[in-house]
Amino acid sequence: MTSYQDQLRARFRAAPLQPPPAPWQPLTPIAVGGLSCVGFGVVPESHDDLLLVVSSNGRGLFECSTGTRIARDPDPDAGWPDTNELVHEGIGPISGVAVPMAGLWGGGLHTTTPDDWTVDVMAPDWPVESVMLSLNGSPYRGEAGSSWWHVHREASCELRAVGFSPSGKTLVIASSCTLTFFTRPFETS
């Protein structure tokens, strides 16, 4: 290990866990056992963010600004892909829509927003993983709490997916056992 790697590990270990800055608001974490993957959809009329969650207990659809589950398909077979495609069919208001997924089998969510927020996952003490949120920069520059924030530490379960909705209004952190939302008002132009 190089001295630069040691410095980075020390930097991220020293960063205090803290809530994200305004306008981001954390929602109460939601327990989801056996979570395998997540993907964002949009309510066609309102353009509100929705999150399709696939687990060993089926599929659930969550309204991202509140964390409320608005639809559920309890079929456990719906949680496993039957093709190599990284998509699942939506349920509820996005029924019939192919939703791109990220999680256990691959895929990815947006790591940046249209207005320059960025999310990074660090593991200075792997397998414990930390999520860093930054604005106009990265966690490699500046001080924690000024341009970047250590917003989540996952020590209990495996991270499956971390990222923003396409609108940039929602940041989701999905582990094998918990779903964590950070939301904000945001107008796209």
Side-chain angles (χ1 to χ4, degrees):
M1 182 162 321
T2 68
S3 67
Y4 177 71
Q5 290 170 321
D6 287 336
Q7 289 171 1
L8 286 179
R9 282 183 178 202
R11 173 183 184 78
F12 299 132
R13 284 181 183 135
L17 193 59
Q18 60 190 142
W24 292 101
Q25 296 295 317
L27 300 181
T28 302
I30 301 164
V32 180
L35 188 149
S36 59
C37 56
V38 298
F40 285 102
V42 176
V43 175
E45 308 80 43
S46 67
H47 302 288
D48 290 336
D49 291 341
L50 299 176
L51 187 74
L52 181 64
V53 177
V54 177
S55 76
S56 57
N57 294 318
R59 296 176 293 169
L61 187 67
F62 291 82
E63 200 285 318
C64 293
S65 66
T66 64
T68 303
R69 186 175 66 194
I70 60 172
R72 184 169 189 284
D73 173 7
D75 179 4
D77 290 335
W80 299 98
D82 55 2
T83 69
N84 289 327
E85 299 296 318
L86 295 173
V87 297
H88 273 276
E89 182 179 335
I91 59 175
I94 58 170
S95 182
V97 174
V99 178
M101 304 299 284
L104 186 59
W105 299 286
L109 301 175
H110 291 262
T111 57
T112 59
T113 67
D115 59 340
D116 297 324
W117 288 93
T118 302
V119 65
D120 291 280
V121 177
M122 309 293 179
D125 295 309
W126 189 87
V128 175
E129 295 178 287
S130 293
V131 178
M132 310 298 181
L133 177 67
S134 60
L135 178 61
N136 295 321
S138 78
Y140 300 101
R141 296 187 300 263
E143 297 300 317
S146 61
S147 63
W148 63 278
W149 298 263
H150 182 185
V151 297
H152 185 84
R153 176 173 289 136
E154 188 60 58
S156 303
C157 301
E158 270 182 37
L159 279 183
R160 296 286 194 235
V162 174
F164 298 104
S165 62
S167 72
K169 294 187 290 188
T170 304
L171 169 61
V172 68
I173 301 167
S175 76
S176 59
C177 64
T178 308
L179 193 58
T180 303
F181 290 102
F182 295 100
T183 66
R184 67 182 175 134
F186 181 73
E187 295 297 323
T188 57
S189 41

